[in-house]
Amino acid sequence: MKRTPLLVSLTLAIAVTAGCATLDAKQREWIFQPSDRSWGGVQSTADMQDVWIDFQSQASGKAERLHGLWLAHERADAPLLLYLHGARWNVAGSAGRIRRMQELGFSVLAIDYRGFGQSSAGLPSEATAAEDARAAWDWMARQQPGAPRYIFGHSLGGAIAIELARQVPDEHGTIVEGTFTSIPEVVSTFKWGWLPVSGLITQRFESVRKVAEIGSPLLVVHGSEDSLILPSLGRRLYEAAAEPKQFVLVEGGSHYNTNSVGQPAYRQAMASLFKLR
């Protein structure tokens, strides 16, 4: 997520006299910032396979299609990982993180939510993103029945990951990086966070209220230098979770490079929490 557009949107919402639908749509635009662009320009996904996930959406009442990238591990028995990206950039923008998670031992499926990249058009919402994640989760189960599956979410994707993990009974573990407790609490950390806008926020992503319902081990990773989503929010989310869980603070990690800077810490946590090597 990007601070300025989100804060401006929510602050201006105080003066909005149009209907609730307009207010909700504006928040969805600024929170998700849906795009077909990749972070840092076009990133190479040549070693990844394009996949298409078709499903009937209860939210839209019509058939929808998700585009994803599949990066298989060399081990045929490798666990599966569903990768859920954050705001603003499409799935190709996460190519580096996708590869690093594969290096940690996973076969990775990364998806674009509706409104991003080559997935179905439309303005994403908290509800539709949750539905998209569930569709991808079920697709993985059909492709490799019986294989252990894990969930990973970065930034806004962390909130989507937590919602998915509380819904499904068969995840082996959940990993979130650079994520938060709720959108209202993120807004409260901004320069103008004292403004009384919390009651106007419709896309709330209340992960702090959901995380205790996860029925599998939870790994919370945060960069010590993350100035967009403060480490204190990641710590608070961790504290609200049930055991087994682990919190990893990556020294020197920012909102964008914690996954690379913290690779050794990731590997150690995978072994201790998930028993993966």
Side-chain angles (χ1 to χ4, degrees):
M1 291 180 298
K2 198 174 181 182
R3 280 176 178 263
T4 303
L6 174 60
L7 183 57
V8 169
S9 173
L10 296 175
T11 303
L12 289 179
I14 300 172
V16 170
T17 56
C20 291
T22 300
L23 176 60
D24 179 66
K26 287 297 182 184
Q27 290 183 37
R28 289 158 63 186
E29 288 176 11
W30 265 282
I31 289 172
F32 281 91
Q33 302 174 63
S35 172
D36 61 359
R37 294 179 298 163
S38 298
W39 180 78
V42 177
Q43 297 198 24
S44 174
T45 58
D47 53 342
M48 302 178 193
Q49 177 186 347
D50 290 304
V51 298
W52 302 95
I53 300 169
D54 296 295
F55 67 102
Q56 188 68 30
S57 168
Q58 293 185 358
S60 69
K62 61 182 183 180
E64 302 285 4
R65 168 170 274 201
L66 304 179
H67 171 249
L69 295 172
W70 171 254
L71 184 61
H73 195 272
E74 59 185 15
R75 281 179 32 227
D77 62 345
L80 310 183
L81 181 77
L82 175 60
Y83 180 102
L84 301 168
H85 67 71
R88 196 178 182 192
W89 310 111
N90 71 14
V91 68
S94 293
R97 279 196 202 90
I98 295 169
R99 289 194 186 90
R100 284 189 288 274
M101 298 313 290
Q102 184 216 36
E103 290 168 3
L104 289 172
F106 296 102
S107 288
V108 183
L109 170 67
I111 62 160
D112 264 331
Y113 320 112
R114 278 170 273 181
F116 285 83
Q118 301 176 63
S119 291
S120 293
L123 182 60
S125 69
E126 183 173 2
T128 63
E131 192 176 52
D132 295 346
R134 182 61 183 267
W137 185 253
D138 293 342
W139 181 90
M140 284 201 310
R142 292 193 298 271
Q143 300 307 305
Q144 296 191 30
R149 286 173 291 155
Y150 293 77
I151 307 169
F152 175 93
H154 174 252
S155 192
L156 183 62
I160 299 167
I162 288 170
E163 173 61 24
L164 176 63
R166 74 191 282 253
Q167 288 181 17
V168 299
D170 54 353
E171 84 285 7
H172 280 63
T174 303
I175 309 159
V176 294
E177 178 190 316
T179 196
F180 50 82
T181 48
S182 70
I183 290 291
E185 289 198 2
V186 172
V187 172
S188 73
T189 68
F190 295 166
K191 182 177 180 181
W192 303 104
W194 53 270
L195 289 170
V197 298
S198 178
L200 297 170
I201 299 174
T202 61
Q203 304 294 301
R204 301 185 68 85
F205 289 95
E206 297 274 3
S207 295
V208 71
R209 297 185 182 180
K210 303 173 182 178
V211 70
E213 299 175 32
I214 293 177
S216 63
L218 173 69
L219 175 60
V220 180
V221 182
H222 221 104
S224 66
E225 305 305 311
D226 191 335
S227 59
L228 180 59
I229 307 296
L230 300 185
S232 58
L233 295 183
R235 170 68 74 172
R236 217 180 135 228
L237 182 68
Y238 162 80
E239 291 171 349
E243 296 285 355
K245 60 184 179 179
Q246 188 170 339
F247 182 80
V248 174
L249 184 67
V250 176
E251 291 299 329
S254 70
H255 192 68
Y256 306 102
N257 71 1
T258 290
N259 191 259
S260 58
V261 174
Q263 194 79 338
Y266 258 103
R267 194 174 298 279
Q268 184 176 6
M270 296 287 182
S272 62
L273 185 63
F274 301 135
K275 313 305 179 188
L276 295 174
R277 297 186 183 276

